[in-house]
Amino acid sequence: MSAITVSTTVNGDAVDFICQPDESLLDALRGRLGLTGAKEGCGTGDCGACSVTVNGRLVCSCLMLAAEAEGAEIGTVEGIAKGNALHPLQQSFLDHAGLQCGVCTPGILVAAKALLDRNPDPTDEEVRYWLAGNLCRCTGYDKIIRAVQSAAAQMRSA
Amino acid sequence: MALDSHGKREFKQIGTRVARPDGIDKVTGRALYGADMSAPGMLVGRILRSPHAHARILRIDTSEAEAIPGVKAVVTGADFSIPDDAALADISVNVMARTKALYDGHAVAAVAATSAQAAKAALKAIKVEYEVLPHVTDVDAAMAPDAPVVQKGRSLESVPAGMGANVTHHCEFGHGDLEAGFARADKIVERSFKTAATHQGYIEPHACLATMNGDGRADLWCCTQGQYMVRTVCAGVLGIEASQLRVTASEIGGGFGGKTTVFIEPVALMLAKKSGKPVKIVMTRDEVFKATGPTVSTSIDVKIGMTKAGRITAGAATLRYSGGAFPNTTVDMGAQAAFAAYDLDAVRTVGWNILTNRPKESAYRAPGAPQAIYAVESVVDELCLALNLDPLDVRILNAARKGTKSSYGPTFDDIGLLATLEAAKAHPHYNTPLKPGQSRGVSCGFWFNFGGNTCVSLNINTDGTVGVTEGNPDIGGSRASISLMAAEELGVPYDKVRTIIADTASLGYNDVTDGSRVTFAVGLATIKAARDAIKKMCGRVAKIWGIDEDAVEWRDGAAHPAGPNAGKFPPMTLEEIAAISFETGGPIAGHYEVNADGAGVSFGVHLCDLEVDKETGQTTILRYTVFQDAGKAVHPDYVEGQMQGGAVQGIGWALNEEYIYGADGRLLNAGFLDYRIPVASDLPKIDTQILEIPNPGHPYGVRGVGETGIVPPLAAVSNAVSRAIDVRMHELPMSPPRVLKAIKAARG
């Protein structure tokens, strides 16, 4: 198998990398580009810790081949803050203790942002169903839902 | 060590919801977990695992694998020594099988290669010749005299003669005259229960990065609940000295007890030694399920007698636990915890441990207690129903309190059970009428809490800020709590304190982050280290003022003359003392080392409302409230978080989670799709009420809060389901097929 060159945009910056044909986008982001924010919790698309956006669509980067990212715009947790200015979701997760160990947090933030980009005023049930693909074993989700709703309210009033 | 005798202390910072110091790193993706570290030229390590539940390893041929381009090292059990210490020896054999593979997923060989592709090819090229042996995975089947023998000669002296070879441990606890107690009962209920093994389910798989130089010096980066434990075990298994191995704990992506042992770390070190290159091993989720951490699976009999008025006259339980293919004594904790919530004249529990062809048990949040208390609380609920008594009234009537001789021996000091039960009784949740089709379950929970070996250094920086160095991985906000306690004691603002977690070369030994011990024991050591620094600062000031050290006292972040007789001096702040420390004797630091006791037991009560779809057997939790005694909640957000997280893990255990083995002894559901942990859409809000009954063993009254929360949900949910379908459930999890079967069986 010979390596493939891929040209993409990651968090707004043009990036080229090479990868193996069987390499996942997650492995390329973490191993080739050093973007270790996205985590591998399962490798089978069940836990959502590897969530990123590809052309605005929320995907499990462990289920997508890196080579498929050719020409795509990829968004990861590293691109949510603007410099040192946190996104309202990030600040809200800190304010509401929406994380304990924090390993699911990057995926949940990417997923929650994708929700609020589409639906700025979700019900609790909509948040819970949208995040049903993101496993968290520490919090029992209660404070995560509160954090997302608080950020949503703040973003609506901004 | 008594609660500080300055009456009711007015805290200035303890109990506030400050920002956690690791927060920004964790919401921006910068925090480095086990798999996030790299080293130049590092190799990919992978492990080959047994596909058989039980097999003799006749021969392993690694020659083809070694010949694959890019493969730099291959190891098997032959590369590892077996330490004399029995516990270390079991870990060593679990890390890499020797003569037998003892369960599906047991490691048999490992490779290190320049790419994941080469490592994968090498695993396929290793030839292992097995002689498949009869296996046993069920705890009751394994106890039978004619069961396949998992390991020979492992029974402890506590096991009476004539038991099957898989029975390794026996224990008994209790007091009083059981026969007389049961004779006084108006109603006796005796039932048998089974609980499935569950996994801690941390989202971060085990990961480590190891280097070992030709001179024997080694470095290890890994996700663990205890870097010192990793050092002890790896040094023992590899036969190296502790000082030669420096272990650094990464940020940890959940543990819940499952990261209190090692699996891959000695393998990575051995591969690094053989290859002369850094080696990184990251487990797949499949490996995590097959080869790490499940709880014990259990089979429990409970018999309880009660008067018409609801007083328990006697309680007895027999507990059969299996922690997989290696001996363990987790059943001790179950047998001690089973009746801990009750003040009983007559109580006896008997425990057995039995070997099965399953992975080696790891601790999981209050290990051993949830299963035992589930069985007891289920029978209490059945008695309440039979005698038409309110389940909280019965628990209040029988509750253990200060002065109660506990079911496991010690006499309780100040405990919070009664206050917790009364809070539940008074809460709007308990007083909200149920709608048709809804039911409510109640359960108590208990955990011992640990103290243990702890070591803290506290440095007063010359600019008036403070650095705390502690040795326990922060699994859910403990750096914030430790900083809060240092700030409170010193009288400086929280944001002047930075707490870091040391590697094994930088601070003395610390026990692992377990037993809900960190906020209690590391907190205690931090307060004492702060007092040590205060004493030194007062000494410096006494010198400056030319008065006795005893004539200087510390208040609100500054040294003051102790009284009018001490002389008239303006107070000197910590910042002022720190600024001139080089002229008054040099840097100022406080230290404290302790093997802490007095952890203070913890009780909780859970209320659960739910409904059951009688066509599908599906249970929906509608409302859930957790009441728990925290002693003193240092950072209420993270106390609530522990209560909520524990409750939801318990709900998962009650409703969905289980290790399912096929007839061939292979694990059938080694992934998050089929081993279903609760997701956000499964759950309602989890309400919490923190009670604060100070622990006399901690200067601020702190009790551990991490574990108790997983104990009550098993029975709270089971009692509610049993009431909803009018059939008493005896087995966990209550997955839809199992509930449906119970409904159909009752209908006849």
Side-chain angles (χ1 to χ4, degrees):
Chain A
M1 291 191 294
S2 56
I4 297 169
T5 304
V6 179
S7 297
T8 63
T9 304
V10 179
N11 299 327
D13 295 323
V15 174
D16 295 338
F17 62 84
I18 58 163
C19 63
Q20 292 295 318
D22 63 349
E23 190 168 327
S24 69
L25 176 61
L26 176 63
D27 283 346
L29 289 170
R30 290 176 52 85
R32 309 275 175 186
L33 303 178
L35 294 169
T36 56
K39 309 297 180 194
E40 180 166 313
C42 66
T44 50
D46 297 313
C47 79
C50 65
S51 297
V52 300
T53 55
V54 177
N55 297 327
R57 188 174 160 214
L58 183 64
V59 302
C60 287
S61 60
C62 74
L63 293 184
M64 180 171 159
L65 291 172
E68 293 178 286
E70 173 64 34
E73 286 191 19
I74 296 163
T76 74
V77 68
E78 287 92 346
I80 294 181
K82 298 289 169 245
N84 280 330
L86 296 179
H87 186 278
L89 269 166
Q90 292 171 312
Q91 188 60 50
S92 187
F93 268 65
L94 298 180
D95 294 343
H96 292 86
L99 62 146
Q100 285 180 33
C101 82
V103 81
C104 71
T105 308
I108 289 187
L109 286 170
V110 169
K113 182 172 178 294
L115 169 65
L116 299 187
D117 286 347
R118 284 163 182 73
N119 179 0
D121 192 9
T123 64
D124 279 4
E125 195 174 16
E126 284 170 331
V127 178
R128 285 184 179 274
Y129 274 87
W130 183 270
L131 293 179
N134 290 84
L135 300 181
C136 168
R137 192 60 158 171
C138 293
T139 64
Y141 304 102
D142 188 284
K143 291 182 189 296
I144 290 175
I145 306 303
R146 290 170 203 263
V148 173
Q149 290 292 38
S150 168
Q154 199 203 324
M155 288 163 72
R156 285 196 302 274
S157 65
Chain B
M1 185 178 332
L3 182 68
D4 285 357
S5 55
H6 31 64
K8 276 224 159 192
R9 180 167 177 155
E10 290 290 323
F11 291 109
K12 293 196 170 72
Q13 302 188 68
I14 298 297
T16 60
R17 300 173 188 248
V18 293
R20 61 192 286 172
D22 51 325
I24 290 177
D25 283 348
K26 286 182 174 167
V27 297
T28 54
R30 279 178 213 147
L32 294 175
Y33 293 82
D36 297 338
M37 186 62 87
S38 297
M42 73 181 183
L43 304 175
V44 178
R46 289 289 307 272
I47 294 173
L48 182 70
R49 299 182 179 278
S50 166
H52 304 295
H54 194 193
R56 204 175 306 287
I57 299 169
L58 301 176
R59 177 170 315 104
I60 302 178
D61 181 354
T62 62
S63 55
E64 266 183 47
E66 282 165 46
I68 291 174
V71 173
K72 302 293 183 187
V74 181
V75 298
T76 67
D79 292 291
F80 297 87
S81 59
I82 297 184
D84 294 334
D85 176 86
L88 278 184
D90 278 347
I91 295 173
S92 177
V93 171
N94 189 46
V95 160
M96 197 56 73
R98 304 303 202 281
T99 54
K100 284 207 298 185
L102 295 167
Y103 55 90
D104 171 26
H106 197 169
V108 294
V111 302
T114 51
S115 70
Q117 288 78 8
K120 195 173 158 190
L123 289 189
K124 276 191 178 167
I126 296 174
K127 294 196 177 72
V128 185
E129 200 179 321
Y130 294 103
E131 177 197 345
V132 177
L133 301 169
H135 66 271
V136 59
T137 55
D138 176 77
V139 58
D140 290 321
M143 202 171 181
D146 57 347
V149 177
V150 179
Q151 287 198 61
K152 272 189 190 141
R154 298 306 307 268
S155 298
L156 296 173
E157 285 169 7
S158 59
V159 177
M163 301 300 293
N166 292 323
V167 180
T168 61
H169 179 58
H170 170 245
C171 62
E172 280 192 43
F173 299 93
H175 57 255
D177 186 340
L178 273 187
E179 214 173 304
F182 284 120
R184 283 192 288 118
D186 294 312
K187 173 90 183 161
I188 295 171
V189 168
E190 189 171 6
R191 296 280 178 259
S192 295
F193 300 86
K194 279 196 115 159
T195 68
T198 55
H199 195 277
Q200 297 82 352
Y202 33 81
I203 306 302
E204 180 199 31
H206 299 262
C208 69
L209 173 61
T211 58
M212 192 185 277
N213 296 336
D215 64 2
R217 278 189 198 160
D219 277 275
L220 187 63
W221 161 274
C222 61
C223 56
T224 178
Q225 290 176 243
Q227 60 275 42
Y228 300 90
M229 170 280 299
V230 172
R231 180 181 67 176
T232 303
V233 174
C234 290
V237 170
L238 298 169
I240 58 176
E241 290 173 354
S243 64
Q244 299 305 301
L245 174 60
R246 185 177 67 155
V247 184
T248 305
S250 69
E251 292 295 339
I252 179 170
F256 315 106
K259 290 174 183 167
T260 58
T261 184
V262 307
F263 301 100
I264 54 176
E265 293 82 355
V267 180
L269 282 163
M270 187 56 79
L271 287 167
K273 184 183 178 184
K274 274 193 140 180
S275 65
K277 288 175 179 291
V279 174
K280 180 162 155 181
I281 298 182
V282 181
M283 273 195 180
T284 63
R285 179 56 56 182
D286 176 85
E287 288 181 286
V288 172
F289 274 114
K290 282 185 173 165
T292 76
T295 62
V296 290
S297 52
T298 78
S299 162
I300 301 170
D301 309 324
V302 172
K303 180 181 177 185
I304 299 176
M306 195 178 272
T307 66
K308 279 181 199 157
R311 189 74 175 100
I312 299 173
T313 59
T318 301
L319 305 96
R320 295 168 293 273
Y321 283 19
S322 178
F326 297 87
N328 71 78
T329 54
T330 300
V331 73
D332 282 356
M333 291 189 277
Q336 291 179 71
F339 286 100
Y342 297 114
D343 176 20
L344 302 176
D345 290 336
V347 58
R348 194 170 74 146
T349 55
V350 177
W352 302 94
N353 182 70
I354 301 111
L355 300 180
T356 51
N357 293 111
R358 288 170 176 246
K360 188 177 194 296
E361 180 224 8
S362 298
Y364 180 22
R365 212 167 197 159
Q371 303 94 327
I373 288 174
Y374 151 71
V376 167
E377 290 292 274
S378 294
V379 172
V380 170
D381 193 62
E382 191 174 341
L383 282 161
C384 292
L385 270 176
L387 297 168
N388 198 25
L389 297 167
D390 178 275
L392 275 179
D393 284 346
V394 165
R395 286 169 174 88
I396 288 168
L397 180 66
N398 291 286
R401 55 202 80 197
K402 186 172 184 172
T404 294
K405 181 181 165 62
S406 69
S407 58
Y408 60 98
T411 298
F412 285 130
D413 201 329
D414 286 322
I415 57 172
L417 176 59
L418 205 54
T420 311
L421 285 163
E422 281 164 356
K425 183 99 203 278
H427 194 274
H429 183 162
Y430 200 64
N431 296 293
T432 302
L434 293 163
K435 292 180 184 146
Q438 299 180 347
S439 65
R440 181 167 294 149
V442 172
S443 176
C444 294
F446 160 84
W447 183 243
F448 307 92
N449 289 338
F450 298 173
N453 294 294
T454 310
C455 195
V456 167
S457 281
L458 185 148
N459 297 306
I460 307 293
N461 302 322
T462 51
D463 65 352
T465 62
V466 177
V468 178
T469 306
E470 51 122 333
N472 277 93
D474 175 352
I475 209 155
S478 61
R479 272 167 292 194
S481 301
I482 301 306
S483 292
L484 267 173
M485 286 187 266
E488 180 77 39
E489 195 61 29
L490 292 167
V492 299
Y494 166 78
D495 58 14
K496 298 277 184 202
V497 183
R498 182 163 185 174
T499 297
I500 65 119
I501 293 148
D503 63 58
T504 54
S506 308
L507 186 69
Y509 180 87
N510 284 271
D511 283 340
V512 296
T513 295
D514 76 347
S516 303
R517 73 174 216 91
V518 174
T519 310
F520 166 74
V522 180
L524 181 148
T526 300
I527 292 164
K528 299 281 185 174
R531 289 179 186 175
D532 186 35
I534 286 170
K535 189 167 187 306
K536 288 170 184 165
M537 288 190 283
C538 288
R540 301 289 177 91
V541 172
K543 262 201 245 171
I544 295 167
W545 290 343
I547 62 175
D548 276 358
E549 238 179 90
D550 296 347
V552 181
E553 68 174 19
W554 191 263
R555 214 166 59 234
D556 299 331
H560 298 256
N565 295 339
K568 271 200 131 181
F569 301 99
M572 279 190 80
T573 64
L574 181 145
E575 200 172 343
E576 290 165 341
I577 299 164
I580 57 165
S581 60
F582 292 0
E583 287 93 63
T584 61
I588 300 167
H591 302 275
Y592 198 71
E593 296 85 33
V594 66
N595 186 351
D597 55 17
V601 299
S602 162
F603 287 93
V605 175
H606 290 200
L607 301 179
C608 171
D609 293 359
L610 54 75
E611 60 192 6
V612 177
D613 183 329
K614 295 189 177 69
E615 302 303 313
T616 63
Q618 171 79 28
T619 299
T620 304
I621 309 277
L622 302 168
R623 185 172 184 179
Y624 204 97
T625 309
V626 179
F627 304 83
Q628 192 174 316
D629 171 20
K632 177 70 204 170
V634 176
H635 193 309
D637 275 349
Y638 296 112
V639 174
E640 291 161 3
Q642 290 298 317
M643 292 159 70
Q644 293 168 328
V648 168
Q649 285 186 319
I651 290 169
W653 199 335
L655 291 178
N656 291 314
E657 297 179 34
E658 64 178 315
Y659 266 48
I660 303 170
Y661 281 93
D664 58 1
R666 288 180 184 160
L667 184 62
L668 295 176
N669 59 334
F672 277 137
L673 189 62
D674 299 314
Y675 182 97
R676 196 173 180 288
I677 73 171
V679 304
S681 55
D682 293 338
L683 297 160
K685 287 178 180 166
I686 307 293
D687 291 325
T688 56
Q689 186 174 336
I690 300 172
L691 284 291
E692 294 188 324
I693 293 84
N695 168 23
H698 185 279
Y700 296 172
V702 168
R703 295 175 198 271
V705 296
E707 287 163 293
T708 303
I710 199 174
V711 179
L714 281 60
V717 176
S718 182
N719 291 340
V721 169
S722 299
R723 284 168 182 254
I725 63 174
D726 207 17
V727 184
R728 179 57 49 181
M729 297 298 290
H730 299 108
E731 192 169 357
L732 299 184
M734 295 173 292
S735 51
R738 204 166 270 150
V739 172
L740 206 53
K741 202 172 146 192
I743 293 170
K744 283 183 176 162
R747 280 180 191 154

